Amino acid sequence: MVTVNIGMLHYILDHVYGAFVHRTKISPPFFSRGWGGTKLELLERLISQLFPEVEGQNWPPSLIQPIWRTVWETQNACLREGVFRTPCDEQLLSALPPESHNARVAFLVPKDVPPQKMACVVHLAGTGDHTFERRLRLGGPLLKQNIATMVLESPFYGQRRPMLQRGAKLLCVSDLLLLGRATIEEARSLLYWLDSEAGFGKMGVCGLSMGGVHAAMVGSLHPTPVATLPFLSPHSAVVAFCEGILKHATAWEALREDLAAKEAAMTLEEVRERMRNVLSLTDVTRFPIPKNPNAIIFVAATDDGYIPKHSVLELQKAWPGSEVRWVTGGHVSSFLLHNNEFRKAIVDGLNRLEWKESSV
């Protein structure tokens, strides 16, 4: 009788999917237009400013005022969409493509429950998640437990995608850092709005894959305790682009040519080393521990071809008190099959937070 290693099958599925999506000519590779020139230097400077000088002193989020319209309403729930100008400062705003200047959110809320008795989780986009639908499906069943879902459309994605960009394949390395930096600003402002304007009793932030890295950063930098829920995510973009399957989707030759035109001829190995240095800015282990480490739950896959196990464990080690839960599968299969485990982590993370004192 032949025994099949299911884990290996999941791992192979990731590689087959990766080869189909990233090695065929269906779509261009990531960073086909190089590093991003002066924008990259600006972002390297701005990201190093994220870290607070004094432990625990995070800069306050900007207040936003979304303009809402109702998409649909039932007896039990309401879906609204909101638009707001990104709260990024002028330097960041001028680096962002004009299409990304306005942020969009979908907001799915239970009806007839006072906000102070509700929780809300901000869901951030994974690589290639251009629409609201998948994340609304993840959050929808949580309405019964008085948990609202807020879905942010990422800069460079969906209606915020620059005209020349095909799909999720960002044109420059600087775009990846810009996307992350703007997402952090916007998500923190949304959490602040949910707290100060909408009056929610508890908040959380979650995301899959790239969205999980951003969720971890937002949870780290937010001034008050929030449930921090990174799913299938590495501790740094270095892992995704230099170790995992996405290294086959990166335009290394274009990056080498871009450097050769400005600096000096380099081997491909030196180009990869440069990429590691740049993307080390996204290393979440360098970020402060979130205010309530007990409310951090990572969900990771046992046979993930995109995210190696060591990456998840590095972040758990850097944030003592956090929990890692393992689901059986690869990146792609877990993404499709383990929504119930993601929902359970959201509920459990929120349960580990205190209710906010009502000012009423």
Side-chain angles (χ1 to χ4, degrees):
M1 189 174 125
V2 180
T3 57
V4 178
N5 181 337
I6 297 294
M8 185 52 76
L9 284 180
H10 286 301
Y11 188 77
I12 290 167
L13 174 65
D14 280 354
H15 281 267
V16 169
Y17 175 83
F20 177 71
V21 173
H22 304 311
R23 295 194 195 194
T24 56
K25 295 287 181 263
I26 291 173
S27 64
F30 280 96
F31 318 132
S32 57
R33 298 202 169 199
W35 296 89
T38 53
K39 277 188 190 178
L40 185 61
E41 291 150 33
L42 167 72
L43 282 155
E44 287 180 297
R45 197 168 67 250
L46 287 175
I47 288 173
S48 59
Q49 291 165 7
L50 278 176
F51 306 107
E53 295 295 312
V54 182
E55 186 64 41
Q57 272 196 4
N58 304 115
W59 84 105
S62 311
L63 186 60
I64 49 167
Q65 291 296 349
I67 297 161
W68 298 102
R69 70 178 184 88
T70 301
V71 180
W72 54 253
E73 212 166 336
T74 64
Q75 274 187 311
N76 306 317
C78 173
L79 178 67
R80 292 188 289 165
E81 280 186 15
V83 180
F84 61 95
R85 187 154 176 84
T86 183
C88 297
D89 64 26
E90 284 309 311
Q91 271 187 308
L92 263 180
L93 202 62
S94 60
L96 277 170
E99 295 93 338
S100 291
H101 286 191
N102 287 326
R104 287 199 323 138
V105 288
F107 191 23
L108 182 61
V109 193
K111 278 168 74 175
D112 304 325
V113 184
Q116 65 271 22
K117 292 200 161 44
M118 275 196 286
C120 183
V121 175
V122 177
H123 292 239
L124 303 179
T127 303
D129 190 355
H130 289 270
T131 63
F132 296 139
E133 279 68 34
R134 197 201 58 73
R135 286 171 283 163
L136 287 173
R137 278 202 305 276
L138 178 62
L142 298 174
L143 288 169
K144 293 191 185 77
Q145 298 183 59
N146 294 337
I147 298 171
T149 291
M150 185 173 264
V151 180
L152 173 65
E153 181 181 67
S154 276
F156 294 90
Y157 276 22
Q159 292 184 21
R160 306 179 72 186
R161 190 176 67 184
M163 211 165 52
L164 295 173
Q165 181 186 306
R166 299 255 321 267
K169 299 296 175 67
L170 304 172
L171 297 172
C172 300
V173 176
S174 58
D175 293 347
L176 184 67
L177 298 180
L178 257 178
L179 187 163
R181 184 71 164 80
T183 297
I184 291 168
E185 296 275 344
E186 290 166 7
R188 290 175 80 245
S189 289
L190 287 169
L191 288 168
Y192 186 49
W193 181 88
L194 287 164
D195 183 6
S196 60
E197 297 289 304
F200 276 79
K202 292 183 183 182
M203 276 86 58
V205 58
C206 76
L208 275 136
S209 199
M210 175 183 76
V213 178
H214 295 151
M217 293 174 173
V218 171
S220 160
L221 296 169
H222 201 65
T224 57
V226 292
T228 305
L229 307 152
F231 304 146
L232 310 178
S233 65
H235 74 286
S236 158
V238 171
V239 177
F241 285 96
C242 300
E243 290 179 36
I245 290 168
L246 290 183
K247 70 181 178 201
H248 303 300
T250 300
W252 296 110
E253 202 51 60
L255 291 168
R256 179 162 77 168
E257 284 166 19
D258 190 21
L259 285 174
K262 294 188 188 70
E263 295 169 27
M266 284 190 178
T267 65
L268 278 177
E269 199 37 61
E270 287 171 321
V271 175
R272 287 196 172 96
E273 197 47 43
R274 171 80 198 274
M275 179 72 98
R276 282 177 178 278
N277 286 337
V278 170
L279 295 186
S280 68
L281 289 165
T282 66
D283 183 345
V284 186
T285 63
R286 295 173 52 198
F287 281 62
I289 301 171
K291 304 289 182 293
N292 186 340
N294 192 33
I296 307 167
I297 301 175
F298 304 102
V299 180
T302 51
D303 300 278
D304 194 322
Y306 285 76
I307 314 299
K309 279 184 182 176
H310 76 81
S311 185
V312 180
L313 296 172
E314 275 180 57
L315 195 44
Q316 184 195 23
K317 188 176 162 197
W319 287 357
S322 61
E323 180 188 347
V324 175
R325 296 179 179 179
W326 296 96
V327 293
T328 304
H331 202 73
V332 176
S333 60
S334 298
F335 191 79
L336 300 171
L337 300 175
H338 290 304
N339 281 341
N340 282 337
E341 279 87 346
F342 300 144
R343 289 186 195 109
K344 184 167 180 356
I346 289 171
V347 171
D348 292 348
L350 289 167
N351 282 340
R352 295 173 188 181
L353 292 174
E354 299 288 321
W355 284 101
K356 197 175 68 179
E357 288 297 314
S358 175
S359 54
V360 180

